Amino acid sequence: METTSWTVGGQVLQSRLLLGTARYPSPQVLSQAVAASGTQVLTVGLRRLQPAEGGGNAFWDRVRAMNCRLLPNTAGCHSADEAVTLAEMAREIFGTDWIKLEVVGDDYTLQPDPFGTVDAATRLVKSGFQVFAYTTDDLVVAQRLRDVGVAAIMPWAAPIGTGRGPLNPHALETLRARLPDAVLVVDAGLGRPSHAATVMEMGFDAVLLNTAVAEAGDPVRMARAFGDATRAGRLAFEATPMAQRQAAQASTPTVGQPFWHSS
């Protein structure tokens, strides 16, 4: 059974799993993982187009052959000015207004700079970009990003590349509850399919992954597992899980039991 479709940046999508394209052991494995995951959106860094660093045109041709929507990113930028410049270059090269905005505030944790992110998002939205803004799970920053009109707010579950899963579920649940109409995509920190299912059960619209799949022992199987977990979590959210109780309650009705069970 498929989950309901969702809309982001003017595009209707069926898959709720967005996938990164870095760190795979080979381009062939990347292609197989993308197919196994069922994703419709791939993120790609602009530096991938530089032959010395990322395979250049050969890599670009292979990604285009996957027939997925591209989401260029500004990974590695440390200021709003740098991110805006790279986004404009990405729009010219990739021919899309979609941009995943990343402005790093701390090199050790790779924690995003909230001030630079909001500044860059404001400028990019005014320039006609559909901005997917990577941020922490801070509610106030998320509200500022919503107010400037980003297409999606992308809070982390844990620092990027750690694979530790949701470190602050309460903060993520608060984001979902306080921003019911915003598109929320959990980005970064997910290491296992159960992590993806957990945040999808909270009502998040989608998840974005890279390292958890690319560095798995079998990236293709892991991509399929994440695709299944994402669908399962969303189906559970749409099915409305039962309310939790403090006390035990028998699942088998007691009506009709022999009388010696009544005392």
Side-chain angles (χ1 to χ4, degrees), residues 20-64:
T21 56
R23 296 177 175 270
Y24 287 83
S26 71
Q28 181 64 25
V29 172
L30 167 61
S31 298
Q32 294 172 346
V34 168
S37 71
T39 186
Q40 296 174 283
V41 178
L42 296 175
T43 63
V44 60
L46 191 60
R47 61 183 177 183
R48 274 283 189 182
L49 291 180
Q50 299 176 12
E53 297 184 27
N57 290 334
F59 175 81
W60 169 231
D61 290 342
R62 180 175 288 272
V63 170
R64 282 198 302 181

Side-chain angles (χ1 to χ4, degrees), residues 30-240:
L30 167 61
S31 298
Q32 294 172 346
V34 168
S37 71
T39 186
Q40 296 174 283
V41 178
L42 296 175
T43 63
V44 60
L46 191 60
R47 61 183 177 183
R48 274 283 189 182
L49 291 180
Q50 299 176 12
E53 297 184 27
N57 290 334
F59 175 81
W60 169 231
D61 290 342
R62 180 175 288 272
V63 170
R64 282 198 302 181
M66 297 176 192
N67 294 319
C68 290
R69 179 88 190 204
L70 294 182
L71 178 59
N73 65 60
T74 63
C77 292
H78 289 75
S79 71
D81 288 343
E82 193 177 357
V84 169
T85 299
L86 195 61
E88 291 171 345
M89 292 174 62
R91 178 158 62 181
E92 181 176 342
I93 293 172
F94 292 100
T96 176
D97 290 332
W98 282 22
I99 190 73
K100 179 172 180 273
L101 175 62
E102 298 182 32
V103 181
V104 176
D106 179 75
D107 283 330
Y108 181 76
T109 63
L110 297 179
Q111 182 167 335
D113 175 352
F115 310 103
T117 299
V118 173
D119 180 13
T122 302
R123 294 154 61 182
L124 290 170
V125 169
K126 290 180 178 177
S127 296
F129 282 92
Q130 298 287 342
V131 179
F132 295 60
Y134 172 56
T135 182
T136 66
D137 53 18
D138 185 282
L139 173 61
V140 176
V141 175
Q143 289 172 323
R144 297 292 182 270
L145 291 169
R146 176 203 57 190
D147 294 344
V148 303
V150 301
I153 302 165
M154 307 181 77
W156 71 5
I160 192 167
T162 62
R164 299 179 65 184
L167 295 181
N168 192 345
H170 174 70
L172 292 176
E173 290 172 339
T174 300
L175 283 179
R176 183 69 286 177
R178 294 296 305 279
L179 302 170
D181 298 324
V183 174
L184 296 179
V185 179
V186 171
D187 176 15
L190 303 179
R192 289 171 171 72
S194 58
H195 298 158
T198 296
V199 298
M200 292 303 294
E201 288 177 7
M202 293 178 185
F204 280 84
D205 295 283
V207 297
L208 191 154
L209 308 162
N210 191 147
T211 309
V213 172
E215 294 191 355
D218 186 335
V220 179
R221 284 176 179 254
M222 189 60 78
R224 186 184 305 279
F226 267 106
D228 290 344
T230 302
R231 284 189 293 274
R234 182 64 190 185
L235 281 172
F237 171 75
E238 293 175 357
T240 311

